[in-house]
């Protein structure tokens, strides 16, 4: 199987990203860690190109595993917060101090 020997598919290439409001945007330029230079055209090819498929697959497996772990943690946090919210919404049972009915009756008669 012939690999496309361009920078974007090389193990030394790292694309540049910029942080947006809710996302990271990948740019068409990047950095070559072997040559220590900025790559302005990711479709360029050079002599230092190396296959990245093993490293990329390993990164994907690790990333998926970590995302699953984080998802489990978020489910636990959601459950804790939901339980706390439910407890706060329960009406508190309070004992009402009723005044002495005899004294109220006496006040009523004296008026």
């Amino acid at each position: 199987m012939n690999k496309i020997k361009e920078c974007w598919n090389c193990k030394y290439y790292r694309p540049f990203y910029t942080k947006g409001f809710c996302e990271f945007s990948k740019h068409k330029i990047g950095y070559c860690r072997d040559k220590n230079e900025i790559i302005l055209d990711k479709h360029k090819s050079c002599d230092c190109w190396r296959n990245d498929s093993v490293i990329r697959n390993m990164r994907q497996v690790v990333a998926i595993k970590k995302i699953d772990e984080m998802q489990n943690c978020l489910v636990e946090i959601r459950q804790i917060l939901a339980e706390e919210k439910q407890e706060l919404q329960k009406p508190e049972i309070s004992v009402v101090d009723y005044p002495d009915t005899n004294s109220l009756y006496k006040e009523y008669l004296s008026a």
Side-chain angles (χ1 to χ4, degrees), residues 71-109:
Q71 182 180 11
N72 291 335
C73 290
L74 289 174
V75 167
E76 293 172 7
I77 293 170
R78 174 188 271 171
Q79 182 179 355
I80 291 168
L81 293 175
E83 289 173 1
E84 286 181 0
K85 183 179 179 183
Q86 189 177 13
E87 287 177 9
L88 290 174
Q89 290 177 348
K90 288 182 183 177
E92 288 187 26
I93 300 173
S94 61
V95 178
V96 177
D97 293 329
Y98 290 101
D100 183 17
T101 54
N102 287 334
S103 63
L104 287 174
Y105 184 69
K106 288 177 187 174
E107 286 178 20
Y108 176 73
L109 291 177

Side-chain angles (χ1 to χ4, degrees), residues 41-92:
D41 180 15
K42 69 180 185 177
H43 298 290
K44 182 175 123 179
S45 185
C46 69
D47 298 336
C48 68
W49 184 91
R50 296 292 178 265
N51 190 353
D52 186 29
S53 62
V54 174
I55 294 170
R56 185 178 301 150
N57 289 339
M58 186 173 60
R59 270 193 240 137
Q60 287 176 350
V61 169
V62 170
I64 289 171
K65 183 178 176 182
K66 287 296 178 186
I67 289 172
D68 287 343
E69 290 174 11
M70 291 170 24
Q71 182 180 11
N72 291 335
C73 290
L74 289 174
V75 167
E76 293 172 7
I77 293 170
R78 174 188 271 171
Q79 182 179 355
I80 291 168
L81 293 175
E83 289 173 1
E84 286 181 0
K85 183 179 179 183
Q86 189 177 13
E87 287 177 9
L88 290 174
Q89 290 177 348
K90 288 182 183 177
E92 288 187 26

Side-chain angles (χ1 to χ4, degrees), residues 11-65:
K11 78 175 196 175
Y12 299 120
Y13 179 77
R14 294 295 176 261
F16 287 145
Y17 292 87
T18 55
K19 184 178 177 185
F21 181 66
C22 294
E23 65 186 11
F24 287 93
S25 301
K26 186 189 270 191
H27 291 277
K28 295 179 180 179
I29 62 174
Y31 182 76
C32 178
R33 294 184 308 151
D34 186 54
K35 290 183 170 183
N36 292 327
E37 66 181 28
I38 294 174
I39 306 298
L40 299 175
D41 180 15
K42 69 180 185 177
H43 298 290
K44 182 175 123 179
S45 185
C46 69
D47 298 336
C48 68
W49 184 91
R50 296 292 178 265
N51 190 353
D52 186 29
S53 62
V54 174
I55 294 170
R56 185 178 301 150
N57 289 339
M58 186 173 60
R59 270 193 240 137
Q60 287 176 350
V61 169
V62 170
I64 289 171
K65 183 178 176 182

